[in-house]
Amino acid sequence: MQQTKTVEIGTGAFVALGFAALFFLATQTTSIQRFEEGSYDVTARFDNIGGLKERSPVAMAGVRIGRVESIVFDKDRYEAIVTLRIDSRYDTLPEDSDASILTAGLLGSQYVGLQPGGSDVFLGDGDRLEFTQSAIVLENLIGKFLVNSGED
Amino acid sequence: MNADHIVEIEDLHYARGTRPIFSGLNLNIRRGEVTAIMGPSGTGKTTLLRLITGQLVPDRGRIRVDGEWLAGLRRDGLYALRRKIGMLFQNGALLTDLSVYENVAFPLREHYELPERLIRHIVLTKLHAVGLRGAAEMLPTELSGGMARRVALARAMATDPRILIYDEPFVGLDPISMGVIVRLVRRMNDALGISSIVVSHDVQEINTVADSSYLISEGKVAASGSPDELSNAPSELVRQFMHGMADGPVPFHFPAPDYTSQLIGNGEGDDDA
Amino acid sequence: MRDLWEAFTGFLRTFGALQLFLLRLIVESPRVLMRPRLVTQQIFNAGALSLVLIMVCGFFVGAVIGLQGHSNLARFGSEDILGLFSALSLMKELGPVITALLFAGRAGTALASEIGLMRTTDQLSAMEMMAIDPVIRVATPRFLGGAISMPLLTAIFTSVGILGSWVVGVPLLGVDAGAFWSQMQAGVGTADVWEGILKSIVFGLAASLIAVWEGYNAIPTAEGVGRATTRTVVITAVVILVFDFMITAMAISLG
């Protein structure tokens, strides 16, 4: 009987620990959980998103406030529609804020940076950011530079 | 078909690989008796038991156990039949991670939904019958060879079988343990009114316990009858076996090329070897 | 040429028999799960008894990832993503693979030798004779116990590994604690967690199947049991690494 007890306690402890570890991995190592709790979506149109990907960060003043939820291509206007999911803790962003696609470091990954506007009206779920600035693509930049220097 | 016979074997053929083990074996085992199956080592006595219990399938011939032909049985039927058979393996084959008590309770727990009190009653009765009620809490690794076999006997009897099969029950036991097993074989058979099959080559013990014996050699029954009849049989082979003579129809030498030529030259003898 | 052909057909036969064996284990599983005690005992043997080994190894693997990751990422000035780097490599690769290899060495060999010994000492035949199917009573609970334990062991290994990497990275090498966790949380997606879980489930099934199969079909001698345990480790290791490649390739091609 003593042996049965050891087995039961040992198995119980092991399974509990296993599930605790699974829970830890599912909630603490990824950011999914936090944003599901409370967030709102806004969209922005870009001519060129460069290397932006789903789950790329959205930041304001360098602080992460959300992430890119989805990226779709608008085949009528040849633009990219990017949905940004923003943590509902940050619910006082002016509606005329502008969004630009920036690069972390010289060759780092890209993220969406928000620049606050001056409006008293705040962004809410489903709103659209009117002012956007596309990603700077290095090749285009070099191309432009070469053309300009040729004209001189 | 004979109602007196609990096991009937007709024209049994069985080969392991290319080596024939049985070629036309006929054998009947009578109800209520202790029947011995004897034979020199390597004659396939254990194989015969596995054929009788349906663990192996014969190449030719048929086997009937308690009125049912084995060949016609599917898995379920075979398992139902095996519940009527208790088998004692050479080394006991006790489940090493269970105590003696749990080993005997094992078939009961697996087959029936019994209240714990009843299981306890049955297990202690069976252990008492083999004289090991006091060892109930021991583990199989703590038992001597003879004790392990007695526990296995108690386990084989737990589900009240009609046939008890013993595979080499006397091998490697000291004289006292041997005496205990001999007594148990006889007593179980008579007290419970079952039939017993004992496979062995221990002539002395067999003679004291068996009602009738079969001597198997070269895939066939070489002789059969009561112990007395076998001891006085005219056949050379039977006499060699029953009296333990080193040379005879079963030669001392394993077949080999000619001794002289093999020793002298490295001629054909070496190539054959 | 004929030898080659025979080796080939022999392999096919073994492979086919293995599939049938797996099928039987799966078919019998619901019935065995109705008797949870049988399975609990095996989860204890395969899982709880491997726990200390898994945790110690997990910690040190994580710690060395922290060390290597830090020194290599520092060349690009990216120490901040150490948390992300450790979490991804542990979750998707090292966790499932090393846990499976340790599992084969600890639990797999124990299973193979236990069942092999039961074969050698006629315990399996004795069950057959008591009209108790050893596939149901012996093989299936052990298979299930192993298959259930593996994903849990993997999760524990990975979690302890991340902890080990944190210990080396944050207090010892001075990576910013906030960056360690926030970069990890920003970079690790649900798909990454699922990939690790999927791998651990597949590896658990494979490792348990191989161990039970090798034990069940061991040649009934002392040498046969020894060979069965060796084969368990070798075959499991190869199969795990091949499966690992296939699952990774699939995960990447699916996006």
Side-chain angles (χ1 to χ4, degrees):
Chain A
M1 282 303 105
Q2 190 57 43
Q3 203 206 348
T4 328
K5 214 168 159 188
T6 318
V7 169
E8 279 164 0
I9 293 172
T11 311
F14 163 66
V15 172
L17 195 63
F19 277 103
L22 274 176
F23 183 77
F24 168 77
L25 293 179
T27 61
Q28 297 305 301
T29 64
T30 76
S31 50
I32 312 142
Q33 183 74 19
R34 320 177 151 207
F35 289 111
E36 299 310 340
E37 277 169 7
S39 62
Y40 62 98
D41 291 355
V42 298
T43 56
R45 290 173 169 274
F46 293 94
D47 294 334
N48 191 331
I49 57 163
L52 195 72
K53 292 193 178 62
E54 287 180 9
R55 289 211 320 274
S56 292
V58 175
M60 185 173 261
V63 178
R64 189 189 154 95
I65 60 168
R67 64 183 163 102
V68 172
E69 176 62 18
S70 71
I71 299 172
V72 290
F73 179 62
D74 178 348
K75 65 180 160 82
D76 297 324
R77 293 169 59 182
Y78 311 112
E79 285 176 341
I81 305 171
V82 177
T83 306
L84 310 176
R85 179 159 291 181
I86 295 170
D87 195 327
S88 47
R89 276 180 297 173
Y90 312 111
D91 56 356
T92 55
L93 310 180
E95 59 150 15
D96 60 345
S97 299
D98 84 22
S100 28
I101 295 175
L102 305 169
T103 306
L106 185 57
L107 299 170
S109 60
Q110 291 186 302
Y111 68 97
V112 178
L114 297 183
Q115 202 62 34
S119 172
D120 294 337
V121 186
F122 300 131
L123 282 170
D125 192 45
D127 286 355
R128 198 181 126 193
L129 290 162
E130 295 296 336
F131 307 105
T132 64
Q133 193 180 346
S134 290
I136 295 166
V137 179
L138 209 55
E139 289 87 337
N140 296 350
L141 206 64
I142 295 169
K144 225 174 256 174
F145 172 75
L146 289 176
V147 171
N148 288 344
S149 57
E151 280 171 0
D152 286 343
Chain B
M1 161 103 203
N2 187 331
D4 281 352
H5 295 159
I6 193 145
V7 177
E8 295 171 69
I9 297 175
E10 288 177 12
D11 190 32
L12 176 73
H13 288 255
Y14 183 80
R16 185 177 290 143
T18 53
R19 196 166 72 90
I21 296 191
F22 299 115
S23 42
L25 183 83
N26 290 289
L27 187 152
N28 292 314
I29 287 165
R30 277 205 287 275
R31 255 176 229 280
E33 288 193 352
V34 176
T35 306
I37 295 175
M38 298 189 286
S41 303
T43 43
K45 298 185 295 287
T46 303
T47 310
L48 182 62
L49 292 186
R50 287 180 190 260
L51 284 159
I52 292 175
T53 55
Q55 291 178 66
L56 297 173
V57 180
D59 297 334
R60 225 172 85 198
R62 25 186 219 169
I63 300 172
R64 192 212 296 261
V65 177
D66 202 17
E68 288 185 89
W69 295 111
L70 289 188
L73 290 178
R74 301 184 44 143
R75 188 186 178 75
D76 294 347
L78 197 58
Y79 269 24
L81 182 69
R82 282 188 193 159
R83 288 202 194 186
K84 298 186 207 164
I85 306 174
M87 180 153 171
L88 197 76
F89 285 81
Q90 241 177 74
N91 53 19
L94 297 176
L95 304 176
T96 33
D97 54 344
L98 299 179
S99 68
V100 165
Y101 179 94
E102 285 300 323
N103 258 288
V104 180
F106 184 75
L108 297 170
R109 291 194 201 284
E110 292 291 321
H111 287 311
Y112 312 105
E113 297 267 330
L114 297 179
E116 192 58 40
R117 266 187 51 217
L118 185 54
I119 291 182
R120 190 179 158 76
H121 182 83
I122 297 174
V123 171
L124 291 181
T125 313
K126 304 293 176 187
L127 280 176
H128 186 76
V130 297
L132 289 178
R133 194 163 39 85
E137 292 314 316
M138 288 167 84
L139 283 171
T141 44
E142 300 169 315
L143 302 175
S144 70
M147 285 165 85
R149 263 173 243 189
R150 283 151 72 186
V151 174
L153 181 56
R155 184 179 65 179
M157 292 190 320
T159 48
D160 293 327
R162 315 270 295 274
I163 309 171
L164 265 176
I165 298 180
Y166 303 83
D167 186 4
E168 303 279 10
F170 310 117
V171 165
L173 292 184
D174 64 85
I176 301 171
S177 304
M178 198 118 77
V180 170
I181 300 279
V182 167
R183 207 180 99 186
L184 281 175
V185 171
R186 190 73 247 177
R187 210 169 68 177
M188 291 299 162
N189 192 75
D190 298 347
L192 302 175
I194 56 178
S195 317
S196 308
I197 304 173
V198 184
V199 158
S200 178
H201 47 232
D202 291 273
V203 178
Q204 293 300 318
E205 284 67 34
I206 285 297
N207 283 344
T208 58
V209 77
D211 296 309
S212 61
S213 308
Y214 285 90
L215 179 60
I216 296 177
S217 177
E218 297 185 344
K220 291 196 173 80
V221 172
S224 65
S226 69
D228 284 346
E229 284 165 13
L230 278 187
S231 294
N232 304 319
S235 155
E236 284 281 328
L237 173 80
V238 179
R239 282 188 46 217
Q240 185 193 358
F241 186 80
M242 298 301 283
H243 300 288
M245 296 182 286
D247 209 351
V250 177
F252 174 72
H253 289 291
F254 192 78
D258 185 59
Y259 190 38
T260 335
S261 64
Q262 199 175 15
L263 277 184
I264 294 170
N266 36 4
E268 298 145 37
D270 276 359
D271 294 344
D272 287 346
Chain C
M1 193 59 209
R2 248 191 78 209
D3 285 355
L4 209 68
W5 174 248
E6 267 171 23
F8 178 68
T9 52
F11 172 76
L12 276 188
R13 262 185 67 188
T14 312
F15 193 67
L18 181 67
Q19 303 303 317
L20 291 176
F21 188 69
L22 175 62
L23 200 68
R24 275 218 65 200
L25 292 177
I26 292 170
V27 169
E28 304 296 357
S29 288
R31 198 173 351 164
V32 173
L33 286 171
M34 297 296 285
R35 296 175 60 186
R37 261 168 187 285
L38 286 183
V39 185
T40 323
Q41 174 75 49
Q42 298 312 323
I43 295 179
F44 180 78
N45 288 349
L49 294 182
S50 310
L51 195 55
V52 174
L53 174 77
I54 290 293
M55 289 176 77
V56 170
C57 293
F59 183 85
F60 282 102
V61 169
V64 83
I65 291 292
L67 213 54
Q68 285 280 13
H70 184 269
S71 79
N72 286 304
L73 290 171
R75 296 194 216 171
F76 309 105
S78 317
E79 299 98 312
D80 282 357
I81 65 161
L82 180 65
L84 174 63
F85 175 81
S86 314
L88 283 183
S89 39
L90 282 165
M91 204 175 276
K92 293 169 70 159
E93 280 302 324
L94 297 168
V97 170
I98 298 185
T99 308
L101 296 179
L102 292 170
F103 180 84
R106 170 69 182 77
T109 52
L111 278 183
S113 64
E114 186 195 8
I115 301 176
L117 209 64
M118 292 177 85
R119 164 75 67 205
T120 311
T121 54
D122 282 332
Q123 293 182 46
L124 298 182
S125 300
M127 282 191 194
E128 285 264 354
M129 277 312 304
M130 289 186 268
I132 295 160
D133 189 340
V135 173
I136 297 176
R137 187 59 176 69
V138 175
T140 310
R142 283 167 176 75
F143 171 72
L144 285 175
I148 293 170
S149 298
M150 244 301 283
L152 299 177
L153 287 172
T154 306
I156 294 169
F157 182 97
T158 306
S159 303
V160 175
I162 291 174
L163 181 76
S165 154
W166 179 85
V167 167
V168 169
V170 177
L172 295 182
L173 295 174
V175 172
D176 179 61
F180 185 92
W181 291 110
S182 69
Q183 290 283 1
M184 183 193 305
Q185 287 160 357
V188 176
T190 342
D192 300 318
V193 181
W194 277 114
E195 187 182 332
I197 293 176
L198 174 72
K199 278 185 179 177
S200 68
I201 292 173
V202 172
F203 295 174
L205 291 172
S208 310
L209 173 65
I210 293 167
V212 171
W213 165 263
E214 283 296 333
Y216 203 78
N217 293 288
I219 300 163
T221 58
E223 195 205 346
V225 175
R227 272 187 34 199
T229 54
T230 311
R231 283 167 55 97
T232 300
V233 176
V234 174
I235 296 176
T236 308
V238 174
V239 167
I240 294 297
L241 294 173
V242 172
F243 276 10
D244 184 46
F245 173 76
M246 296 199 300
I247 297 174
T248 308
M250 230 152 46
I252 288 173
S253 70
L254 288 178

